[in-house]
Amino acid sequence: ANEVSIDELEQAIKDGGFVLDVREGWEFENGHVPTAHHIPLGDVPDQLAELPKEVQVWVICQAGGRSMTAANYLESQKFSAVSVAGGTGSWVEAGKLVSTGQATDSTLRFFDKNFQKVQQSELKGPACRLGSWEPRSRTFECISRNDWLAKTQG
């Protein structure tokens, strides 16, 4: 599978790309890229039906190893998949927005970098989209890098 940068992932998220986080549950709940769907690496083979075949799957983990394993596996199963180089660790280090938790509100909400609610058509620059699409619905709480680090590193 090909590797992509976190900047390419950020653009894919803005464009509605399908992001798959293959880390363990506790890692995902502590912080993940906005809109990410969660399936731990070991569960991917049993949950292929949860993944879209009609669009590219952007696979991310903590540093890039597990995501490359998953992306290679998905390609072997006829999915279009890429692995995000540097993973969530690089995403956080770059100061990009991080989401936490796993709520169940499917309403889409858009917020600018100052966490002001905006219409999708008004977005300019960094933003966080809350909610997702089938087969799962989640609400994402967007927090800053510093808040995420304080929360996860106590």
XYZ file of all heavy atoms in Angstrom, residues 37-104:
497
model
N -13.317 6.092 11.878
C -14.054 4.904 12.269
C -13.051 3.987 12.960
O -11.873 3.969 12.584
C -14.644 4.205 11.054
C -15.707 5.001 10.376
N -15.428 6.108 9.594
C -17.043 4.864 10.383
C -16.553 6.603 9.146
N -17.549 5.885 9.605
N -13.490 3.237 13.935
C -12.556 2.425 14.704
C -12.814 0.941 14.528
O -13.914 0.447 14.801
C -12.649 2.784 16.193
C -11.755 1.960 17.042
N -12.240 1.135 18.027
C -10.408 1.805 17.025
C -11.212 0.525 18.602
N -10.096 0.912 18.008
N -11.783 0.227 14.072
C -11.767 -1.234 14.083
C -10.338 -1.628 14.442
O -9.408 -1.333 13.686
C -12.146 -1.847 12.715
C -13.540 -1.409 12.273
C -12.055 -3.375 12.779
C -13.926 -1.881 10.876
N -10.116 -2.256 15.604
C -8.754 -2.670 15.955
C -8.164 -3.579 14.877
O -8.890 -4.352 14.230
C -8.943 -3.427 17.273
C -10.233 -2.908 17.827
C -11.089 -2.608 16.634
N -6.855 -3.502 14.686
C -6.179 -4.254 13.635
C -6.576 -5.730 13.629
O -6.892 -6.288 12.578
C -4.658 -4.122 13.790
C -3.813 -4.909 12.784
C -4.093 -4.449 11.362
C -2.338 -4.780 13.129
N -6.599 -6.365 14.788
C -6.927 -7.785 14.863
C -8.344 -8.125 14.451
O -8.644 -9.282 14.120
N -9.234 -7.128 14.431
C -10.637 -7.350 14.070
C -10.950 -7.021 12.611
O -12.050 -7.313 12.134
C -11.555 -6.504 14.963
C -11.492 -6.925 16.420
O -11.027 -8.045 16.708
O -11.909 -6.119 17.274
N -10.001 -6.415 11.906
C -10.266 -5.981 10.533
C -10.735 -7.130 9.642
O -11.741 -6.990 8.926
C -9.039 -5.253 9.933
C -9.199 -5.037 8.431
C -8.817 -3.913 10.651
N -10.075 -8.306 9.652
C -10.530 -9.381 8.756
C -11.988 -9.795 8.982
O -12.677 -10.167 8.034
C -9.585 -10.535 9.072
C -8.346 -9.863 9.565
C -8.840 -8.674 10.349
N -12.463 -9.711 10.215
C -13.834 -10.107 10.527
C -14.844 -8.992 10.299
O -16.055 -9.229 10.412
C -13.933 -10.564 11.985
C -13.112 -11.809 12.250
O -12.960 -12.634 11.323
O -12.614 -11.953 13.383
N -14.387 -7.781 10.016
C -15.307 -6.649 9.878
C -15.188 -5.948 8.524
O -15.503 -4.772 8.389
C -15.072 -5.656 11.023
C -15.415 -6.272 12.372
C -15.491 -5.240 13.473
O -15.907 -4.106 13.250
N -15.090 -5.620 14.667
N -14.786 -6.678 7.511
C -14.653 -6.081 6.184
C -15.971 -5.503 5.676
O -15.977 -4.512 4.946
C -14.113 -7.107 5.186
C -12.665 -7.547 5.402
C -12.285 -8.604 4.387
C -11.718 -6.361 5.342
N -17.087 -6.093 6.082
C -18.397 -5.603 5.633
C -18.681 -4.198 6.146
O -19.545 -3.500 5.596
C -19.500 -6.559 6.078
N -17.975 -3.759 7.184
C -18.150 -2.414 7.740
C -17.465 -1.346 6.893
O -17.693 -0.158 7.090
C -17.571 -2.343 9.156
C -18.177 -3.305 10.139
C -19.489 -2.790 10.698
O -19.679 -1.566 10.736
O -20.319 -3.620 11.078
N -16.618 -1.768 5.957
C -15.786 -0.828 5.207
C -16.301 -0.629 3.790
O -16.772 -1.580 3.161
C -14.342 -1.341 5.173
C -13.703 -1.565 6.541
C -12.338 -2.212 6.389
C -13.589 -0.254 7.298
N -16.170 0.591 3.278
C -16.646 0.870 1.918
C -15.649 0.390 0.866
O -14.452 0.598 0.999
C -16.753 2.396 1.894
C -15.666 2.841 2.822
C -15.630 1.795 3.919
N -16.147 -0.260 -0.169
C -15.279 -0.661 -1.277
C -15.268 0.398 -2.374
O -14.400 0.394 -3.226
C -15.728 -2.006 -1.854
C -15.207 -3.183 -1.067
C -15.087 -4.404 -1.923
C -14.290 -5.442 -1.154
N -14.050 -6.648 -1.907
N -16.235 1.303 -2.353
C -16.376 2.276 -3.435
C -15.502 3.513 -3.265
O -15.385 4.320 -4.175
C -17.840 2.694 -3.601
C -18.425 3.470 -2.432
C -18.879 2.621 -1.254
O -18.755 1.384 -1.299
O -19.359 3.225 -0.281
N -14.886 3.687 -2.093
C -14.003 4.834 -1.852
C -12.703 4.353 -1.207
O -12.637 3.267 -0.646
C -14.664 5.897 -0.938
C -15.906 6.484 -1.582
C -14.972 5.339 0.434
N -11.695 5.202 -1.284
C -10.416 4.877 -0.654
C -10.549 4.900 0.862
O -11.213 5.763 1.424
C -9.366 5.890 -1.102
C -7.987 5.610 -0.553
C -6.945 6.400 -1.297
O -6.388 5.928 -2.268
N -6.698 7.617 -0.853
N -9.901 3.955 1.520
C -9.862 3.894 2.977
C -8.513 4.447 3.427
O -7.464 3.950 3.020
C -10.054 2.445 3.488
C -9.963 2.402 5.013
C -11.393 1.883 2.999
N -8.575 5.479 4.252
C -7.372 6.110 4.805
C -7.111 5.463 6.165
O -7.854 5.712 7.112
C -7.586 7.609 4.946
C -7.806 8.295 3.640
C -8.922 8.225 2.848
C -6.882 9.114 2.946
N -8.739 8.968 1.709
C -7.499 9.530 1.741
C -5.588 9.556 3.223
C -6.860 10.355 0.830
C -4.955 10.386 2.313
C -5.588 10.776 1.135
N -6.089 4.623 6.276
C -5.842 3.834 7.479
C -4.779 4.512 8.331
O -3.709 4.891 7.842
C -5.406 2.400 7.124
C -5.344 1.541 8.388
C -6.340 1.773 6.092
N -5.095 4.637 9.632
C -4.170 5.295 10.560
C -4.051 4.465 11.832
O -4.986 3.767 12.225
C -4.637 6.745 10.866
C -3.540 7.540 11.584
C -5.963 6.742 11.633
C -3.802 9.044 11.625
N -2.873 4.550 12.463
C -2.662 3.940 13.781
C -1.904 4.963 14.625
O -2.141 6.163 14.484
C -1.915 2.607 13.644
S -0.251 2.753 12.950
N -1.004 4.532 15.477
C -0.262 5.483 16.301
C 0.971 6.028 15.589
O 1.245 7.208 15.634
C 0.143 4.847 17.637
C 0.836 5.794 18.594
C -0.022 6.994 18.984
O -1.239 6.904 19.070
N 0.613 8.134 19.202
N 1.745 5.138 14.910
C 2.992 5.577 14.292
C 3.144 5.164 12.828
O 4.048 5.640 12.159
C 4.172 5.044 15.099
N 2.294 4.289 12.328
C 2.352 3.916 10.925
C 2.531 2.438 10.639
O 2.286 1.994 9.522
N 2.962 1.660 11.631
C 3.188 0.233 11.414
C 1.914 -0.571 11.239
O 1.748 -1.293 10.247
N 1.011 -0.451 12.190
C -0.253 -1.201 12.113
C -1.104 -0.747 10.933
O -1.769 -1.560 10.283
C -1.043 -1.063 13.417
C -0.436 -1.827 14.579
C -1.173 -1.568 15.875
N -0.808 -0.261 16.413
C -1.277 0.259 17.545
N -2.174 -0.412 18.249
N -0.880 1.435 17.969
N -1.056 0.538 10.638
C -1.864 1.025 9.512
C -1.351 0.464 8.190
O -2.142 0.132 7.304
C -1.914 2.556 9.489
O -0.629 3.119 9.321
N -0.031 0.320 8.043
C 0.500 -0.261 6.809
C 0.096 -1.734 6.702
O -0.275 -2.200 5.619
C 2.023 -0.109 6.752
C 2.627 -0.673 5.470
S 1.987 0.077 3.927
C 2.900 1.615 3.895
N 0.136 -2.450 7.824
C -0.306 -3.845 7.823
C -1.759 -3.939 7.383
O -2.119 -4.759 6.530
C -0.133 -4.465 9.231
O 1.252 -4.425 9.585
C -0.650 -5.886 9.293
N -2.608 -3.081 7.953
C -4.030 -3.099 7.619
C -4.261 -2.679 6.167
O -5.059 -3.294 5.456
C -4.813 -2.182 8.559
N -3.574 -1.638 5.719
C -3.755 -1.161 4.344
C -3.333 -2.240 3.345
O -4.016 -2.460 2.334
C -2.972 0.129 4.123
N -2.219 -2.914 3.611
C -1.789 -4.004 2.726
C -2.829 -5.121 2.703
O -3.142 -5.672 1.646
C -0.423 -4.554 3.162
C 0.719 -3.625 2.801
O 0.634 -2.841 1.854
N 1.791 -3.700 3.565
N -3.361 -5.463 3.868
C -4.390 -6.502 3.933
C -5.635 -6.073 3.152
O -6.188 -6.862 2.371
C -4.759 -6.826 5.382
C -5.894 -7.814 5.466
C -5.676 -9.160 5.207
C -7.184 -7.386 5.746
C -6.726 -10.075 5.237
C -8.237 -8.288 5.783
C -8.001 -9.635 5.526
O -9.056 -10.519 5.543
N -6.075 -4.836 3.355
C -7.264 -4.352 2.651
C -7.055 -4.384 1.139
O -7.957 -4.788 0.399
C -7.639 -2.948 3.122
C -8.192 -2.866 4.543
C -8.376 -1.403 4.958
C -9.498 -3.634 4.675
N -5.885 -3.991 0.689
C -5.610 -4.065 -0.753
C -5.681 -5.506 -1.256
O -6.174 -5.761 -2.347
C -4.255 -3.447 -1.075
C -4.302 -1.935 -1.086
C -3.061 -1.301 -1.687
O -1.994 -1.959 -1.768
O -3.163 -0.127 -2.085
N -5.213 -6.456 -0.432
C -5.282 -7.870 -0.840
C -6.722 -8.365 -0.932
O -6.997 -9.364 -1.595
C -4.483 -8.748 0.134
O -5.202 -8.959 1.343
N -7.635 -7.635 -0.279
C -9.056 -7.982 -0.303
C -9.833 -7.098 -1.280
O -11.054 -6.987 -1.192
C -9.649 -7.859 1.110
C -8.973 -8.740 2.146
C -9.083 -10.210 1.781
O -10.171 -10.726 1.555
N -7.938 -10.898 1.713
N -9.102 -6.448 -2.175
C -9.685 -5.628 -3.257
C -10.283 -4.296 -2.798
O -11.169 -3.746 -3.435
C -10.731 -6.417 -4.057
C -10.241 -7.759 -4.542
C -9.081 -7.602 -5.493
C -8.682 -8.961 -6.078
N -7.274 -9.147 -6.213
N -9.786 -3.773 -1.666
C -10.142 -2.430 -1.233
C -9.069 -1.466 -1.736
O -7.919 -1.869 -1.925
C -10.197 -2.330 0.304
C -11.388 -2.981 0.934
C -11.386 -4.341 1.192
C -12.506 -2.235 1.276
C -12.477 -4.953 1.788
C -13.604 -2.835 1.874
C -13.587 -4.192 2.121
N -9.433 -0.212 -1.905
C -8.461 0.842 -2.170
C -8.083 1.425 -0.812
O -8.937 1.958 -0.101
C -9.087 1.921 -3.056
O -8.203 3.011 -3.175
N -6.805 1.301 -0.430
C -6.393 1.737 0.906
C -5.012 2.367 0.864
O -4.155 1.975 0.063
C -6.393 0.546 1.867
N -4.814 3.342 1.752
C -3.507 3.962 1.948
C -3.231 4.006 3.444
O -4.150 4.010 4.261
C -3.441 5.388 1.350
C -3.516 5.346 -0.170
C -4.523 6.290 1.924
N -1.946 4.046 3.785
C -1.513 4.120 5.176
C -0.988 5.517 5.459
O -0.248 6.089 4.653
C -0.401 3.088 5.427
O 0.126 3.230 6.727
N -1.355 6.070 6.613
C -0.922 7.418 6.985
C 0.425 7.346 7.701
O 0.531 6.777 8.794
C -1.974 8.109 7.879
C -1.491 9.503 8.268
C -3.322 8.174 7.167
N 1.457 7.884 7.059
C 2.810 7.883 7.622
C 2.850 8.684 8.922
O 2.298 9.774 9.002
C 3.790 8.477 6.613
N 3.459 8.120 9.938
C 3.590 8.815 11.213
C 2.396 8.689 12.128
O 2.484 8.955 13.320
N 1.243 8.325 11.584
C 0.051 8.040 12.365
C -0.450 9.184 13.217
O -0.153 10.360 13.005
N -1.238 8.800 14.227
C -1.855 9.765 15.128
C -0.801 10.553 15.899
O -0.995 11.732 16.200
C -2.819 9.050 16.096
O -3.760 8.288 15.327
C -3.576 10.035 16.971
N 0.332 9.919 16.189
C 1.408 10.616 16.888
C 1.874 11.842 16.115
O 2.038 12.934 16.676
N 2.066 11.681 14.808
C 2.476 12.814 13.967
C 1.367 13.845 13.846
O 1.629 15.050 13.810
C 2.870 12.323 12.572
O 4.068 11.590 12.640
N 0.124 13.371 13.784
C -1.037 14.269 13.713
C -1.049 15.188 14.938
O -1.205 16.399 14.827
C -2.304 13.425 13.631
C -3.591 14.175 13.535
C -4.365 14.605 14.575
C -4.271 14.574 12.340
N -5.490 15.242 14.093
C -5.459 15.232 12.727
C -4.000 14.423 10.980
C -6.367 15.748 11.809
C -4.911 14.940 10.065
C -6.071 15.588 10.483
N -0.869 14.598 16.116
C -0.871 15.367 17.361
C 0.319 16.319 17.409
O 0.175 17.494 17.752
C -0.872 14.421 18.584
C -0.639 15.189 19.871
C -2.176 13.650 18.652
N 1.497 15.817 17.052
C 2.706 16.651 17.079
C 2.581 17.862 16.156
O 3.158 18.912 16.426
C 3.938 15.834 16.704
C 4.409 14.914 17.813
C 4.750 15.667 19.099
O 5.471 16.686 19.029
O 4.293 15.242 20.172
N 1.825 17.723 15.079
C 1.623 18.831 14.138
C 0.596 19.832 14.655
O 0.345 20.856 14.013
C 1.199 18.290 12.778
N -0.016 19.539 15.806
C -0.974 20.470 16.399
C -2.347 20.439 15.772
O -3.126 21.378 15.926
N -2.673 19.362 15.089
C -3.975 19.261 14.431
C -5.046 18.849 15.444
O -4.740 18.302 16.499
C -3.899 18.277 13.269
C -2.908 18.749 12.198
C -2.904 17.850 11.004
C -1.842 18.227 10.002
N -1.983 19.554 9.429
N -6.308 19.119 15.114
C -7.409 18.812 16.021
C -7.514 17.320 16.274
O -7.313 16.501 15.375
C -8.732 19.315 15.454
C -8.912 20.834 15.429
C -10.220 21.190 14.740
C -8.889 21.406 16.830
N -7.834 16.984 17.502
C -7.980 15.599 17.945
C -9.390 15.422 18.489
O -9.936 16.316 19.121
C -6.947 15.269 19.048
C -7.126 13.863 19.578
C -5.535 15.464 18.516
N -9.978 14.263 18.239
C -11.303 13.944 18.754
C -11.172 12.879 19.818
O -10.252 12.077 19.807
C -12.194 13.417 17.624
O -12.305 14.367 16.599
N -12.133 12.861 20.750
C -12.125 11.843 21.798
C -13.511 11.233 21.925
O -14.502 11.819 21.505
C -11.727 12.445 23.167
O -12.666 13.452 23.517
C -10.328 13.017 23.126
N -13.568 10.047 22.504
C -14.842 9.435 22.859
C -15.559 8.747 21.726
O -15.100 8.708 20.599
N -16.722 8.174 22.060
C -17.537 7.424 21.115
C -19.011 7.618 21.407
O -19.695 6.704 21.799
C -17.239 5.927 21.217
C -15.947 5.496 20.610
C -15.836 3.994 20.621
O -16.213 3.339 21.570
N -15.311 3.440 19.566
N -19.549 8.798 21.204
C -20.977 9.021 21.427
C -21.776 8.517 20.229
O -21.221 7.936 19.312
C -21.245 10.499 21.682
N -23.075 8.733 20.231
C -23.916 8.155 19.174
C -24.876 9.157 18.543
O -26.002 8.841 18.252
C -24.746 6.980 19.733
O -25.514 7.475 20.829
C -23.880 5.843 20.165
